[in-house]
DNA sequence: CTAGGTGCAAAGACTTTGCATTTAT
DNA sequence: ATAAATGCAAAGTCTTTGCACCTAG
């Protein structure tokens, strides 16, 4: 089944109405799966094909998608929330590489933390339901261009 | 040398004035080293012994401490920035365990990521300057009380 | 003495909410 | 038909900034 159907099906399954706005927003998320879009970015992108869209609807829809565990809300310390589509299997095991010079956020799809999570379970009595792993640094070959995020503190935040 | 002196020394070394407000703020951070305080929390704590303190000064001082790499700014997805004193050696290699039921944030002081950082360097051409690792989950023995953060989304954000 | 710091209040940035209108089911 | 969703604008948070006054060096 294609990802769009999977998602819209979730809507109806939970008795949420499938409005054209919601469809358009989900479509933008799918088309930009690699991008960790902010609310403003989603809004602008959807507005292209749907000019009468309201910003509040984007906030409400993203919140809803979060509630349905279809997207993940995160924060890279630039003052805005960013949203990341979860893969169908809900594994969402990926990590981020944040480039210091251009601000680009890349994803790594492996799960490198399985061992650590076992260790936490055994040695700390802590059972993990979710995790987050971000690295900041620089690519040996960084164009330095394509900077999306103007200012950025020194900490990953 | 005691931590307070180490920090105040950094101020003078960088030609920043050592005001009583700054001293009071640093003292509160030291006294609550384990706590990831928010600006508001720091403000309230300092206000106890220094009632005329302004909130903007807390923001400005924490920003300054960040700039001097004495504290780390971070965001656990509850809408406010939190600040964490860096250990003297500037290694700041610690991870967080965030309890789903009580919201408590615990720290783990080990560095579990050295191997992964090497891998990134070699296989991805990415050299790491900083990282962040948070786990969400529950402690087998969680009191369920002491919740500091009222609402929390499902994602680590 | 004087550059820099402080407190206050106003302004900004991002997000949420109230309400009349519209729409999916 | 009707409960839910939308768009707009207003209100809320958290954070930053402008400015007159104050203070460490």
């Amino acid at each position: 089944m294609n990802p769009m159907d999977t998602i819209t099906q979730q809507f109806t399954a939970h008795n949420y109405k499938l409005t054209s706005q919601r469809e358009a927003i989900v479509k933008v998320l799918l088309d930009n799966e690699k991008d960790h879009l902010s609310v403003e970015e989603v809004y602008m992108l959807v507005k292209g094909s749907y000019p009468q869209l309201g910003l509040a609807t984007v906030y409400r829809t993203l919140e809803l998608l979060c509630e349905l565990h279809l997207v993940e809300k995160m924060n890279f310390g630039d003052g805005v929330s960013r949203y990341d589509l979860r893969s169908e299997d809900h594994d969402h095991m990926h990590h981020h590489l944040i480039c210091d010079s251009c601000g680009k956020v890349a994803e790594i799809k492996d799960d490198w933390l399985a061992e650590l999570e076992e260790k936490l379970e055994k040695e700390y009595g802590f059972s993990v339901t979710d995790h987050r792993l971000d690295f900041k640094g620089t690519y040996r070959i960084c164009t330095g261009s394509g900077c999306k995020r103007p200012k950025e503190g020194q900490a990953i935040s």
Side-chain angles (χ1 to χ4, degrees), chain A:
Chain A
M1 187 184 284
N2 83 52
M4 188 67 181
D5 292 344
T6 314
I7 292 171
T8 55
Q9 185 188 289
Q10 287 283 332
F11 273 87
T12 51
H14 290 262
N15 289 320
Y16 291 121
K17 290 181 182 170
L18 182 52
T19 62
S20 48
Q21 290 92 331
R22 287 176 176 175
E23 258 188 298
I25 290 168
V26 169
K27 188 164 182 322
V28 160
L29 292 176
L30 285 167
D31 290 349
N32 297 274
E33 210 170 345
K34 297 272 159 288
D35 263 355
H36 306 90
L37 299 175
S38 67
V39 172
E40 199 64 31
E41 286 165 349
V42 172
Y43 178 58
M44 287 315 186
L45 286 168
V46 179
K47 218 150 199 218
S49 61
Y50 205 126
Q52 72 273 37
L53 182 77
L55 183 55
T57 300
V58 180
Y59 275 99
R60 286 187 282 228
T61 301
L62 289 172
E63 191 193 2
L64 177 60
L65 288 166
C66 229
E67 197 186 305
L68 295 175
H69 298 271
L70 295 170
V71 307
E72 206 170 332
K73 182 179 183 179
M74 44 183 61
N75 201 309
F76 293 107
D78 58 354
V80 297
S81 295
R82 297 183 172 278
Y83 295 84
D84 198 16
L85 218 42
R86 288 184 172 211
S87 47
E88 299 113 51
D89 51 14
H90 280 204
D91 248 11
H92 64 83
M93 291 311 187
H94 63 262
H95 316 307
H96 296 110
L97 300 182
I98 306 168
C99 185
D100 283 331
S101 47
C102 74
K104 192 166 173 298
V105 179
E107 277 193 12
I108 294 190
K109 287 285 186 184
D110 289 309
D111 183 9
W112 292 343
L113 300 178
E115 283 173 55
L116 292 182
E117 293 186 0
E118 263 180 57
K119 187 191 179 104
L120 281 171
E121 178 77 48
K122 281 185 202 140
E123 295 177 24
Y124 292 78
F126 186 84
S127 67
V128 175
T129 54
D130 201 357
H131 68 223
R132 167 179 182 157
L133 175 55
D134 300 339
F135 293 96
K136 285 199 82 170
T138 45
Y139 279 100
R140 220 175 290 137
I141 328 144
C142 171
T143 64
S145 66
C147 181
K148 286 178 179 177
R149 285 170 263 308
K151 67 174 177 180
E152 186 108 36
Q154 48 279 329
I156 305 172
S157 49

